[in-house]
């Protein structure tokens, strides 16, 4: 039902003919959008993707369906469908770049559902998409540089974010996820994402 809703939403979007080269080129602009994270980031993200032939829709998650997002092809255009689950900008952007990785790295026949295991689930492709998302949000080398500077104060985190063209929340979220810092540290950098509002 959730996937079907996304298909109906996708049909309402006018997009260009899909171009892999154009989508790759747009990712740099999308990374800057991530770093700035303005209030109207979602329509801007949709527009940038549509110009490369990629549809992006928000579909609220259904009860008892803990999905972050999905990627699949509808006709000749890829569709990224997002739920905004967890309502945090670091998780939202990592999920987006993960789904973008599926588009650029994997075939048109697969359907990828995040946070859901099913028969035929390809862990290798999920790992590849995660690696792609790491590259675009905060690289391993950049993470190492941050770790070498710990402990950091807020101005230090902001300096690294500016230097890496990322958002401070992506740095904090990564360090929390990998248990380098406690989940209570740096919460002020995490911006809420409420696509339903």
């Amino acid at each position: 039902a959730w996937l079907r809703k996304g298909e109906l939403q996708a049909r309402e979007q006018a997009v260009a003919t899909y171009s892999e080269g154009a989508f790759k080129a747009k990712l740099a602009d999308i990374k800057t959008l991530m770093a700035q994270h303005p209030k109207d980031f979602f329509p801007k993200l949709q527009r940038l993707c549509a110009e490369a032939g990629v549809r992006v829709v928000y579909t609220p998650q259904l009860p008892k369906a803990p999905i972050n997002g999905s990627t699949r092809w509808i006709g000749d255009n890829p569709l990224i469908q997002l739920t905004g689950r967890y309502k945090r900008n670091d998780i939202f952007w990592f999920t987006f770049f993960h789904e973008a990785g599926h588009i650029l790295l994997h075939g048109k026949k697969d359907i990828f559902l995040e946070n859901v295991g099913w028969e035929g689930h390809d862990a290798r492709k999920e790992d590849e998409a995660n690696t792609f998302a790491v590259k675009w949000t905060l690289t391993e080398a950049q993470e190492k540089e941050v770790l070498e500077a710990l402990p950091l104060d807020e101005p230090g985190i902001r300096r690294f974010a500016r230097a890496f063209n990322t958002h401070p929340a992506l740095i904090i979220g990564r360090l929390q996820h990998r248990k380098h810092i406690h989940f209570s540290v740096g919460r002020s950098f995490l911006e809420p994402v409420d696509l339903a509002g």
Side-chain angles (χ1 to χ4, degrees), residues 94 98 102 114 125-135:
F94 190 90
H98 177 101
H102 282 311
E114 307 318 326
K125 289 181 179 178
E126 292 303 316
D127 287 343
E128 290 171 353
N130 279 336
T131 299
F132 185 91
V134 164
K135 172 190 167 190

Side-chain angles (χ1 to χ4, degrees), residues 63-138:
K64 299 183 182 177
I67 299 170
N68 279 9
S70 78
T71 304
R72 62 197 181 281
W73 288 71
I74 298 177
D76 294 324
N77 293 87
L79 167 63
I80 295 176
Q81 185 176 355
L82 301 165
T83 64
R85 188 172 176 236
Y86 298 114
K87 302 186 184 301
R88 286 172 42 162
N89 63 324
D90 61 321
I91 295 174
F92 173 88
W93 286 109
F94 190 90
T95 301
F96 169 80
F97 280 106
H98 177 101
E99 303 303 342
H102 282 311
I103 292 170
L104 293 169
L105 300 172
H106 305 130
K108 291 184 176 184
K109 294 181 180 177
D110 289 324
I111 296 175
F112 297 98
L113 284 167
E114 307 318 326
N115 282 16
V116 179
W118 71 97
E119 188 177 338
H121 174 84
D122 193 328
R124 178 186 56 82
K125 289 181 179 178
E126 292 303 316
D127 287 343
E128 290 171 353
N130 279 336
T131 299
F132 185 91
V134 164
K135 172 190 167 190
W136 282 97
T137 55
L138 183 73

